[in-house]
Amino acid sequence: MVNIDVIKRRLNQLSSRITRKKYIMSLFMSVLIISSGLSVACSIIPVENLETNKSDELYKLKGTYIGDNSKVGNIINLLDFPEELTPNGIELFTDEEPFGLQINFQARDEVIGAKFWSSGSDYIWRSPSVILFSLIDNLDYIQYTIVGDNLLQSTVHTDREAADTLTMSTLGHKVSEVGNSKELFEEFYNIYSSDESVDGTVEYFAWEYINNEIKMYENAEWADYKFIDQEIIKLEKLSTFDNILSSPVELWRLEYRLKPENPEELVLAGGLEIVDGWLIDNGINGKPHLAFTHDNGDLVYLGNANAIEFDLDTLASQEIAIRIMLENMEILPRVTYEGNHVVIKFPLSTGETAQLLLSQPIKQGNGGIWVVERWMDGNGYIYHHIPIHDIRIEEHYRDLQERFENGENLFLDKPVDVAMFYINLDLGQVQVDESDLEIINPATVEDFLKTPESDYIGYITMMSIDEELFHLDKIEFLTQEDEERASELGIDTNYDMPSGFYVHNPETYPDAFDTSDETNYLLLDYNNLSEHKSVSKEEFVEYNNSLGYSPLYHIYTRNGYVRLIKEQYIP
């Protein structure tokens, strides 16, 4: 299973909440660096002169401006930072708006990698950031930069808007309002200077998610949204899985609603609707499923595990959704079961080539059942198999293994038989038989992750030099060697193929394909019909449009684009 430190390194939004150390940096800066390049000495409040009520001392500095070197330094000297960091000066950016502040630290590389490999969502910076924004009126952004032993560097950027999101979710007020009220400032300070800060709760992360959605709506160019209230309708824990990461993973379902300022003026689309003056998203994004894990007792937010392709209404679907999210984040490898694998390619009814990845989930080698854990279509899109039973996936496969060992479903130890069962029944591709399969056994995960190439043949229409899209009237090209297929279609290979081939074209409605700058074009070399010559797209289009008949072309696609167009020789 993946260690929690790997997660920290991979996710910008995933650094766990670091317990705040009460550490006053008495000489935080020896030099202040101004953006213009001028170096100025700072006066720092000595530790022995600090009063016990740090909140009062900080609030006395309310109204500071970013250009006031001494007061900015005094505020920073009163803030708490992790003791693993060594202060290394600050920089003020005051030449032009937006005005900024950079606070520099030094640390060992292993400390940066384990605890501070993060961006603006690293929660250790929340409390000092809000304090700085609330006290320094013209401060627009803050950067925290940590440089390691070997120049490994972590830079976290946050701005006033992010601080507003935080204080709105906890206090219901923007950061400027927090700074203008000593009562609100003390309330915020007391919350975020405590080791039991609200930023370690599921509800906190739920509000973070909601506020990010509000920001997305209000910044949208396609509508003018402004919200005056938000509300959590339901926040419930659905499941816990201990077989995904080294620490258990929890999945929580969040339902919420937003109150727009002018609901009657909103443009509603994609599942959005107004109910009693509240905006509710009934689309795929409206019912987020938040995933969490733990690190030394602290809650770690992994992300929203919502899936577009399926509902998260069973334990199996919930586990698969979490795995897909973590695979996309590169926390998990793109395979569920280690060990033996088989890749089997097959043609879909649409003409493209797809492939299955089969694995042995319970027992490796002889006597172990095979299952299809996922499959890939011709465009490179991966679909995970979700058992239909509302039990844990491991429990389902253990039951299948036990039934097999007791004499049931004896085909389950044969990967080709399992593949045919899945292709014909689960995917409904009844036209596929075993002779259509291309089998890689043994296979690696890399074999599966390589998108299969699809081969079509037909007549090209509507191709121009300037457009990437063209149409293909697909056909089936049969020769006298295709006796079995010809028999299925009622074609007499002796009578219907006087030239040795037959074009089967039951449907003339074309399919659309996309070329790219990487597409290659091959035309028959009429000086040697066994060879082809490479031409440019312009030459190909000119050739195809100049003929008094329609040539046949093979179209080879991968990842949704045409890789090669090759003219078919017709006797």
Side-chain angles (χ1 to χ4, degrees):
M1 294 185 191
V2 178
N3 186 277
I4 192 70
D5 287 336
V6 177
I7 300 173
K8 290 177 182 176
R9 291 174 184 270
R10 280 294 186 187
L11 299 175
N12 283 340
Q13 70 271 36
L14 259 190
S15 61
S16 62
R17 181 174 61 87
I18 304 169
T19 303
R20 287 166 172 76
K21 305 293 183 180
K22 302 305 176 186
Y23 176 57
I24 300 175
M25 290 174 276
S26 58
L27 291 174
F28 186 87
M29 305 158 293
S30 60
V31 176
L32 175 69
I33 305 172
I34 309 298
S35 63
S36 61
L38 177 65
S39 298
V40 181
C42 294
S43 67
I44 305 297
I45 300 177
V47 173
E48 58 269 19
N49 291 341
L50 288 174
E51 297 181 7
T52 56
N53 192 336
K54 197 183 298 183
S55 172
D56 287 343
E57 289 297 320
L58 283 165
Y59 201 74
K60 288 178 182 177
L61 297 167
K62 169 72 182 103
T64 296
Y65 285 88
I66 194 64
D68 191 333
N69 311 331
S70 177
K71 286 188 176 180
V72 171
N74 289 340
I75 292 173
I76 294 173
N77 193 53
L78 287 165
L79 300 179
D80 294 327
F81 294 100
E83 61 185 3
E84 300 95 333
L85 302 180
T86 300
N88 193 33
I90 69 171
E91 298 177 47
L92 301 182
F93 302 97
T94 59
D95 283 351
E96 59 183 7
E97 294 185 309
F99 299 137
L101 165 67
Q102 179 168 305
I103 306 178
N104 301 313
F105 301 92
Q106 288 182 324
R108 300 191 314 275
D109 285 346
E110 57 267 28
V111 171
I112 296 177
K115 290 189 175 182
F116 301 101
W117 198 262
S118 173
S119 62
S121 58
D122 192 341
Y123 300 109
I124 193 61
W125 310 114
R126 293 187 181 280
S127 177
S129 296
V130 171
I131 291 172
L132 286 163
F133 283 120
S134 65
L135 298 180
I136 304 175
D137 292 339
N138 64 336
L139 178 60
D140 297 309
Y141 68 90
I142 306 170
Q143 290 186 166
Y144 301 94
T145 298
I146 310 172
V147 178
D149 306 323
N150 298 304
L151 299 182
L152 177 66
Q153 180 169 311
S154 171
T155 299
V156 177
H157 179 98
T158 188
D159 55 27
R160 185 171 289 272
E161 186 177 5
D164 284 338
T165 297
L166 177 63
T167 55
M168 283 293 295
S169 66
T170 54
L171 300 176
H173 296 275
K174 291 187 175 182
V175 68
S176 58
E177 298 171 323
V178 171
N180 288 331
S181 166
K182 186 175 183 182
E183 181 180 355
L184 284 176
F185 182 84
E186 289 180 347
E187 183 180 353
F188 174 86
Y189 185 84
N190 290 334
I191 291 173
Y192 282 88
S193 63
S194 168
D195 286 343
E196 301 301 322
S197 173
V198 297
D199 65 5
T201 67
V202 171
E203 184 175 1
Y204 173 81
F205 288 107
W207 280 117
E208 281 278 284
Y209 178 89
I210 293 170
N211 281 306
N212 285 333
E213 290 296 293
I214 290 174
K215 186 185 300 184
M216 181 272 293
Y217 281 121
E218 292 185 340
N219 291 337
E221 297 180 356
W222 46 271
D224 185 17
Y225 286 96
K226 183 174 179 59
F227 298 100
I228 58 176
D229 200 1
Q230 58 263 17
E231 178 178 290
I232 292 179
I233 301 172
K234 180 185 290 186
L235 182 60
E236 63 174 335
K237 184 177 176 180
L238 297 180
S239 52
T240 302
F241 299 94
D242 58 8
N243 62 332
I244 299 177
L245 299 175
S246 57
S247 298
V249 178
E250 299 175 1
L251 191 67
W252 291 70
R253 177 182 168 91
L254 170 64
E255 295 183 27
Y256 65 95
R257 61 181 187 174
L258 308 175
K259 194 164 191 177
E261 187 174 55
N262 299 302
E264 66 281 352
E265 299 178 4
L266 295 185
V267 177
L268 302 178
L272 298 177
E273 63 175 324
I274 298 293
V275 178
D276 297 329
W278 292 81
L279 179 69
I280 297 179
D281 188 350
N282 288 318
I284 190 63
N285 296 321
K287 304 294 184 289
H289 291 75
L290 309 183
F292 301 88
T293 190
H294 295 82
D295 175 34
N296 296 322
D298 288 335
L299 194 66
V300 179
Y301 175 56
L302 295 170
N304 178 14
N306 246 6
I308 298 176
E309 303 87 356
F310 54 88
D311 295 325
L312 277 64
D313 53 0
T314 66
L315 288 171
S317 61
Q318 291 161 17
E319 178 180 342
I320 292 296
I322 294 170
R323 288 186 178 277
I324 291 173
M325 178 190 72
L326 295 178
E327 286 180 15
N328 290 337
M329 293 174 168
E330 299 184 359
I331 292 175
L332 290 181
R334 293 189 178 274
V335 63
T336 305
Y337 306 104
E338 297 180 353
N340 299 324
H341 302 291
V342 175
V343 170
I344 296 182
K345 300 182 181 184
F346 64 98
L348 293 172
S349 58
T350 56
E352 63 185 302
T353 300
Q355 59 193 23
L356 308 176
L357 176 66
L358 292 96
S359 304
Q360 291 185 296
I362 304 300
K363 180 180 178 181
Q364 296 294 304
N366 293 334
I369 66 169
W370 288 89
V371 300
V372 175
E373 70 160 79
R374 60 189 72 191
W375 68 280
M376 179 188 289
D377 66 20
N379 293 321
Y381 195 87
I382 295 175
Y383 307 83
H384 290 66
H385 174 63
I386 304 174
I388 60 174
H389 308 289
D390 190 14
I391 58 176
R392 296 181 184 275
I393 296 175
E394 182 178 353
E395 183 180 348
H396 169 65
Y397 287 143
R398 288 196 180 279
D399 179 64
L400 284 182
Q401 180 71 45
E402 183 178 348
R403 287 172 179 269
F404 168 78
E405 292 172 354
N406 290 332
E408 297 183 35
N409 300 325
L410 293 179
F411 71 94
L412 289 179
D413 67 337
K414 302 175 182 63
V416 173
D417 291 351
V418 172
M420 284 303 306
F421 186 91
Y422 190 85
I423 293 168
N424 293 155
L425 295 180
D426 288 71
L427 299 182
Q429 300 295 304
V430 295
Q431 81 285 352
V432 177
D433 61 38
E434 193 169 326
S435 65
D436 297 317
L437 305 183
E438 180 183 339
I439 303 166
I440 306 176
N441 184 12
T444 65
V445 177
E446 289 70 27
D447 292 327
F448 172 74
L449 294 177
K450 184 178 180 181
T451 306
E453 184 172 80
S454 298
D455 177 9
Y456 308 89
I457 185 171
Y459 304 106
I460 288 179
T461 62
M462 295 183 63
M463 176 179 274
S464 68
I465 296 174
D466 299 326
E467 298 293 331
E468 293 181 347
L469 184 142
F470 69 93
H471 288 171
L472 182 74
D473 178 11
K474 292 190 293 188
I475 61 96
E476 189 172 356
F477 189 79
L478 303 173
T479 67
Q480 290 179 335
E481 296 178 354
D482 300 315
E483 294 183 6
E484 185 176 348
R485 178 57 177 158
S487 177
E488 292 175 0
L489 297 173
I491 298 171
D492 187 326
T493 56
N494 295 315
Y495 179 79
D496 295 321
M497 298 185 181
S499 299
F501 69 92
Y502 184 90
V503 174
H504 180 60
N505 188 19
E507 297 180 4
T508 58
Y509 189 82
D511 291 294
F513 290 84
D514 284 313
T515 60
S516 71
D517 292 339
E518 305 300 319
T519 302
N520 293 309
Y521 304 86
L522 295 179
L523 295 177
L524 285 168
D525 185 348
Y526 283 93
N527 293 321
N528 182 0
L529 291 175
S530 63
E531 299 292 336
H532 287 77
K533 60 181 180 180
S534 178
V535 298
S536 66
K537 182 179 181 180
E538 290 78 6
E539 291 171 323
F540 179 86
V541 171
E542 182 181 356
Y543 169 81
N544 188 60
N545 293 340
S546 66
L547 300 176
Y549 64 94
S550 297
L552 283 174
Y553 297 102
H554 284 275
I555 309 297
Y556 299 92
T557 66
R558 179 175 286 157
N559 293 322
Y561 288 93
V562 174
R563 183 187 68 81
L564 173 66
I565 300 178
K566 183 177 181 180
E567 186 178 7
Q568 166 70 40
Y569 171 69
I570 299 177

